Amino acid sequence: MKQKKLVIAINSAPNGYFYRSLIEHFCIKSKIEEIECHFFIGRPSVPEERVGNIVYLNCEGSYEALSLKMIAYLKYLEANYDYDFLFKLDQNTYFDAERLLDLAKTFKSDYVGKQHKGPLVPTYHFAKSIVTG
């Protein structure tokens, strides 16, 4: 099990090459021993496989099944890493890995985020969401 200070889990799509290349070039500028960064792609009915910094998970990969995919990559990370901080984002998000690690070291809480205060409009994705159980 690898010990890391920060694990960055990036939700990605099979055809997300452009976004992955931007993130690799602009967000993960240098290899920092304390940071591990992976792109997670859902691939149902295929065994879990890691190829470089891409982890293919045996799960649905659609946006509507994002919660199921998140559970799958949390299980993967739990089995393979011992880490202090986890940062989850989507492939179309910009971040600075070094600044994120520095910021994470100053956190005094278990969760940092912002509460959504706007109206919730159940239209497009709610109608297509995958229900299990």
Side-chain angles (χ1 to χ4, degrees), residues 6-49:
L6 171 67
V7 172
I8 301 172
I10 304 165
N11 180 45
S12 190
N15 63 350
Y17 312 108
F18 176 72
Y19 290 116
R20 289 193 296 272
S21 66
L22 288 176
I23 287 174
E24 288 173 341
H25 184 72
F26 293 107
C27 302
I28 311 164
K29 297 171 239 169
S30 60
K31 277 290 192 189
I32 300 171
E33 187 60 33
E34 294 176 289
I35 299 175
E36 189 77 24
C37 183
H38 292 294
F39 296 94
F40 289 90
I41 298 174
R43 207 169 52 173
S45 304
V46 177
E48 179 180 285
E49 176 184 24

Side-chain angles (χ1 to χ4, degrees), residues 31 71 92:
K31 277 290 192 189
I71 290 168
N92 61 349

Side-chain angles (χ1 to χ4, degrees), residues 12 15 19 23 27 32 49 54 60 62-63 71 78 81 86 100 104 107 110 114 119-120 124:
S12 190
N15 63 350
Y19 290 116
I23 287 174
C27 302
I32 300 171
E49 176 184 24
I54 298 175
E60 176 64 41
S62 69
Y63 181 84
I71 290 168
E78 183 69 23
Y81 292 94
L86 171 64
L100 184 58
F107 292 160
D110 290 333
K114 182 174 173 149
L120 187 60
Y124 180 72

Side-chain angles (χ1 to χ4, degrees), residues 109-125:
S109 344
D110 290 333
Y111 172 79
V112 176
K114 182 174 173 149
Q115 183 178 6
H116 175 71
K117 296 190 191 261
L120 187 60
V121 182
T123 58
Y124 180 72
H125 288 297

